[in-house]
Amino acid sequence: MITAVMPTYGRKDVVFERGEGNYLYATDGRRYVDFTSGIAVNALGHCHPYLVKALTEQGQKLWHTSNLFRIGNGEKLAKRLVENSFADTMFFCNSGAEAIEGGIKLIRKYQFMNGQPKRYKIICFQAAFHGRLLNALAATGNEKYLEGFGPPAAGYSHAPLNNTNVVRDMVDDETAGILVEPIQGEGGIRATTTQFLKDLRAICDEFGLLLFYDEIHTGFGRTGKMWGYDWSGVKPDVAAIAKGMGGGFPIGAFMATEKAAVGMVPGTHGSTYGGNPLATGVANAVLDVLLAPGFIEGVRERGEYLKGQLEGLCKKHPKVFVEQRGTGFLQGIRCVPPAGEMVDKLQSLGMLVPPAGENVVRIFPALIADKAVLDEGVAILEKAAVAFEAAAK
């Protein structure tokens, strides 16, 4: 298939023309259960009426002014996020990778402002994913993604996840911070332990480092709490957020404590589009829904239900499904057949999921998914398991 779009993705040969709630409809009329959610982006599903209303109303008033002027929607959004997180301040951008890059700059500038200009290195973790920009790629450390783009940006090393001793041994006089995902998404839905995050916090406090969470996947209710770190109670100094933040509208941010952000003064960072009235207007509407009483608690409750159903599938079909992973609506199943083949089979049966590392398929329903939708998805997963079992006989 030849198009004018660069072939940087191995795209599935299907075109969707509309979405509604938990479902996508292709140009041939077929309906799919969407457990990809734009890779955890469409937090409130497709064409949520409240978001459509907010987008339409803002679109009729003002789209973009640039950051040369105050932006009311952005100031409102920042205030609300500060009230509902560890942070005191933030910078709005357009994507998760930009948020990671901005957080890296903040960490290095913090060390500079505190008389440690040689401190620039970031300790990261194996199987991480932080984005496709050059520093984000170096922080990710995946050789496949780095190949052909010249020497990786300097200053990034990678430790095994949940191994405190290795991390401590990696700290030297040039270390500035530690970057970690509370739950690795692309790495295979691999979770940090509470003790490990406590240890990282202690290491940062001992050596004067900043703790940087990549909450791009785990933020905005995806795990059944507002932030992934809420499960451990271990607060970071810096966090990158995006994905579910705009419910499908491109927006991201890096946020920090006032202490950590000491170096982010006029002229240190910028974005032409970041935090414009349209993006922040939609993101405020997303927050209206997420922060409504009981909404995230409902995600957590239904996430537990989904977890039990996926665990049941693993017990019932051990030759196909090996292990359930994750929490809330950030879950996955490690498979025996190649994950790519499982993705294709599920699509043929009317369900959309993305693959991940360690032969995992990710299960990312929209946060509005009720038990009936979850049951529909689980039933399709079971059909796939039965098909693989029959093929193996």
Side-chain angles (χ1 to χ4, degrees):
M1 182 175 60
I2 299 174
T3 73
V5 178
M6 285 188 184
T8 57
Y9 283 93
R11 300 176 191 266
K12 302 297 183 185
D13 189 13
V14 58
V15 178
F16 301 109
E17 62 179 1
R18 67 184 180 93
E20 181 180 336
N22 301 282
Y23 302 99
L24 279 169
Y25 296 82
T27 51
D28 64 2
R30 188 171 187 195
R31 188 191 78 163
Y32 293 84
V33 178
D34 183 12
F35 278 15
T36 296
S37 296
I39 315 181
V41 166
N42 299 317
L44 302 181
H46 297 283
C47 297
H48 190 287
Y50 190 74
L51 297 194
V52 172
K53 181 174 182 287
L55 176 63
T56 303
E57 290 180 354
Q58 185 60 48
Q60 292 173 341
K61 292 192 294 186
L62 183 64
W63 290 22
H64 180 77
T65 59
S66 87
N67 284 296
L68 297 177
F69 310 98
R70 290 178 60 188
I71 298 173
N73 285 347
E75 292 178 4
K76 176 183 176 182
L77 179 60
K79 181 175 184 293
R80 298 174 78 192
L81 288 172
V82 163
E83 290 171 350
N84 289 279
S85 75
F86 75 95
D88 301 311
T89 185
M90 65 197 60
F91 180 98
F92 293 119
C93 54
N94 310 286
S95 69
E98 290 176 61
I100 290 292
E101 298 265 337
I104 291 167
K105 287 181 67 176
L106 181 149
I107 289 172
R108 291 177 175 177
K109 198 63 182 288
Y110 166 84
Q111 297 293 356
F112 177 87
M113 296 292 289
N114 282 277
Q116 300 287 343
K118 292 184 178 180
R119 285 190 166 185
Y120 73 102
K121 294 179 180 177
I122 310 289
I123 296 173
C124 309
F125 294 91
Q126 295 166 6
F129 183 78
H130 301 297
R132 301 280 191 157
L133 302 180
L134 288 174
N135 272 284
L137 275 178
T140 295
N142 187 316
E143 292 184 5
K144 179 178 69 175
Y145 296 158
L146 287 162
E147 184 180 9
F149 297 111
Y156 303 93
S157 54
H158 297 83
L161 199 66
N162 294 320
N163 191 320
T164 300
N165 292 335
V166 172
V167 175
R168 176 174 286 276
D169 289 344
M170 290 170 69
V171 176
D172 62 25
D173 292 341
E174 295 180 318
T175 304
I178 297 173
L179 170 58
V180 64
E181 299 160 277
I183 301 175
Q184 291 184 336
E186 184 163 310
I189 317 298
R190 301 169 70 234
T192 55
T193 66
T194 294
Q195 186 58 53
F196 183 61
L197 293 181
K198 288 180 178 179
D199 292 342
L200 294 185
R201 179 73 271 172
I203 290 170
C204 286
D205 293 343
E206 178 181 350
F207 293 101
L209 316 179
L210 293 186
L211 183 58
F212 183 9
Y213 285 168
D214 180 340
E215 288 263 10
I216 294 165
H217 256 96
T218 52
F220 296 94
R222 175 56 57 180
T223 69
K225 290 183 180 285
M226 184 63 180
W227 309 109
Y229 73 79
D230 284 333
W231 288 98
S232 68
V234 180
K235 296 180 180 180
D237 304 296
V238 191
I241 58 177
K243 286 197 179 288
M245 184 174 181
F249 198 99
I251 184 171
F254 59 96
M255 53 186 186
T257 63
E258 184 178 7
K259 176 183 176 182
V262 64
M264 303 308 288
V265 297
T268 55
H269 201 55
S271 171
T272 297
Y273 298 103
N276 70 25
L278 195 56
T280 51
V282 174
N284 270 305
V286 172
L287 272 190
D288 288 345
V289 177
L290 294 186
L291 296 179
F295 183 87
I296 291 178
E297 290 80 2
V299 174
R300 186 159 64 247
E301 177 188 338
R302 285 174 278 119
E304 282 299 305
Y305 174 78
L306 176 61
K307 180 178 180 180
Q309 297 299 102
L310 297 181
E311 289 175 339
L313 282 179
C314 294
K315 291 177 182 177
K316 190 174 180 180
H317 303 281
K319 295 182 179 180
V320 179
F321 297 131
V322 178
E323 176 189 14
Q324 177 278 339
R325 295 181 176 183
T327 190
F329 282 179
L330 183 70
Q331 297 196 44
I333 301 182
R334 188 160 65 89
C335 302
V336 175
E341 292 183 14
M342 179 60 70
V343 168
D344 290 342
K345 172 58 71 174
L346 290 170
Q347 182 175 326
S348 75
L349 294 171
M351 179 178 172
L352 305 170
V353 297
E358 297 194 342
N359 211 47
V360 167
V361 294
R362 290 178 267 185
I363 311 297
F364 289 171
L367 305 188
I368 60 169
D370 58 18
K371 288 185 178 179
V373 172
L374 300 180
D375 286 342
E376 187 176 359
V378 169
I380 295 173
L381 282 163
E382 180 145 36
K383 286 182 182 178
V386 170
F388 277 104
E389 287 167 345
K393 289 181 180 178

